[in-house]
Amino acid sequence: MNDRTRQTTLDAPDGSISNLEDIDWTFEGADTQYLTHGLHPYPARMVPQIPDALFQYYKDEGVIATGDTAYDPFSGSGTTAVEARLHGLNAEANDINPFACLLTLTKAVPLDPTKLKRAKTDLFDRANEELQEIREEYEAGSLDVDNPPEIRDGWFPEPQLYELWQLRSIIDTLEDSYGDDVSRFLRICLSIVARKVSYQRNGEYKRYRIPEEDRSDHDPDVFDLYFKKVDNNVDLMETYSHRVDASLDTTVHYADSRTATDNGDDSVGKNTADIVVTSPPYGDHRTTVAYGQFSQDPAIIAGDFGYDQMKQVDKDGLGGKNSALEPMEELEEWSPSFGATMEALRDEDGRAEDAMDFVRDYYEVMKEVATILKPGQPAAWVVANRTMSRINIPTHLITRELCEHLGYEHETSLPREIPNKTLPWENAPENVPELKGELMSNENIVILRAPEAPKH
């Protein structure tokens, strides 16, 4: 890890951490793409300096030790898992987005660089010939694609869509020779290229296409884009793999954080985690960060995921359309801040029901984490305060108060500015065109210790 990733962001010149409040948690100007953190973009990604600093601090304090387990119930792009492995910890995580699970495993599991480079060479040799054949057959009008991807019409130029699909087919066949870990890596490289090749508008995390009049000029070279990305990512993975202990584990569950300990054979074990570092969603996916929309086409092209499966991701998120939990009025008593928020929303005839749905689901995750984390061990919740119907939602206070109701003990809350995150700075709260309202430009890191005996 170089100076720009960590040491320049701490008040201590040698990078040591004796007090969490000595850290400039904004990390402005720090490199957030080092090692495998730079493999693939993801919306609202937690900067790696946060788990890096927390793991280092708690190791220095003797709260956690090499070989312990770090858990993240909202894995996203795998930032916590990667930093856990870099700090000599086992990593365990889950996410409701199957693409996030694929990305986390790809970034956090070290690979044999020699095997990875052999696979790259084999893929290059086949792709060089087969992609040329795809283009020639397309131009001749004779291209016949077996089992075309479940992509909605009008989102990709042709024949580039079929070239991407052919790369996916080659990766599928290489999996038998090189294993799941290498094929995952090659799929993630394909995912980011699929996003660049598509008509998706740059800088958007939801599904917005470039204007139709600009699409005729969009003629990307799939082969060139893909192998440049593979070369870059191989270098990042090789450096990462040399720095982590390959004997440790990374376990990722495709699971709902509200029921993570009750997911059959793929459950997270109770009383197994030594530390939790997580960045929960800011609200329901539909009105804040649409992780499913961001992942949809890349996941279908690069991974073994279907259209219907990816369409459910945003509906399955906290406060989403598919949530089955009933409202719980007691939450307003247990968290005075939430009670005041609900009262303000009702006075404005605002989205009180949506707020209740989200916080009800979020509370269920707090309960699950209390059973997964060992008693007295730290849980860091990195949360942002959003607005709903122009009412500020004090998520950091709601998090603290509901956790304290469950028996957690508050340790500290650390404010930080957000200098560079792919997330909405403004929204249209009443869904009226041209009407905008601020969403979030700051976060709080709320740190609590797990209860001795979690409430149920």
Side-chain angles (χ1 to χ4, degrees), residues 158 170 253 306 309:
E158 297 179 1
I170 298 171
H253 309 268
Q309 181 182 18

Side-chain angles (χ1 to χ4, degrees), residues 123 126-135 137 143-149 159-174 187 190 222-223 226-227 301-302:
L123 177 58
R126 286 190 54 183
N128 191 33
E129 179 179 346
E130 294 180 24
L131 266 60
Q132 181 63 33
E133 291 176 357
I134 291 286
R135 184 165 288 268
E137 291 176 9
L143 180 63
D144 184 18
V145 179
D146 292 331
N147 301 314
Q160 284 90 342
L161 174 60
Y162 306 119
E163 293 174 329
L164 291 168
W165 196 238
Q166 187 62 28
L167 281 170
R168 155 71 187 277
S169 177
I170 298 171
I171 294 169
D172 287 346
T173 61
L174 290 177
R187 292 179 198 282
L190 182 60
V222 171
F223 183 88
Y226 183 68
F227 283 98
I301 288 175

Side-chain angles (χ1 to χ4, degrees), residues 346-363:
R346 294 185 187 108
D347 287 345
E348 291 289 329
D349 195 21
R351 295 171 52 205
E353 184 177 338
D354 290 344
M356 172 59 78
D357 289 344
F358 176 79
V359 173
R360 174 69 181 90
D361 285 355
Y362 185 29
Y363 177 71

Side-chain angles (χ1 to χ4, degrees), residues 62-194:
V63 175
I64 58 174
T66 298
D68 282 351
T69 296
Y71 171 61
D72 185 352
F74 299 104
S75 188
S77 66
T79 300
T80 293
V82 169
E83 285 301 318
R85 294 298 303 268
L86 286 169
H87 283 269
L89 305 171
N90 294 295
E92 187 157 17
N94 57 264
D95 205 285
I96 207 165
N97 180 358
F99 179 75
C101 297
L102 178 73
L103 182 55
T104 297
L105 281 170
T106 302
K107 289 171 62 175
V109 175
L111 299 179
D112 176 353
T114 301
K115 184 168 73 168
L116 184 57
K117 291 174 183 178
R118 286 204 310 268
K120 182 193 78 170
T121 299
D122 286 353
L123 177 58
F124 180 93
D125 291 343
R126 286 190 54 183
N128 191 33
E129 179 179 346
E130 294 180 24
L131 266 60
Q132 181 63 33
E133 291 176 357
I134 291 286
R135 184 165 288 268
E136 291 173 356
E137 291 176 9
Y138 177 82
E139 292 173 352
S142 60
L143 180 63
D144 184 18
V145 179
D146 292 331
N147 301 314
E150 296 180 299
I151 300 297
R152 304 302 94 174
D153 291 340
W155 278 93
F156 281 82
E158 297 179 1
Q160 284 90 342
L161 174 60
Y162 306 119
E163 293 174 329
L164 291 168
W165 196 238
Q166 187 62 28
L167 281 170
R168 155 71 187 277
S169 177
I170 298 171
I171 294 169
D172 287 346
T173 61
L174 290 177
E175 187 168 313
D176 291 338
S177 300
Y178 292 99
D180 292 345
D181 52 355
V182 169
S183 72
R184 275 198 308 263
F185 176 90
L186 297 173
R187 292 179 198 282
I188 287 301
C189 297
L190 182 60
S191 167
I192 181 56
V193 171

Side-chain angles (χ1 to χ4, degrees), residues 42-61:
Y42 200 77
R45 185 175 69 94
M46 176 171 59
V47 296
Q49 283 77 10
I50 293 176
D52 168 46
L54 291 170
F55 291 146
Q56 189 62 54
Y57 172 76
Y58 284 111
K59 286 190 80 173
D60 290 346
E61 293 295 304

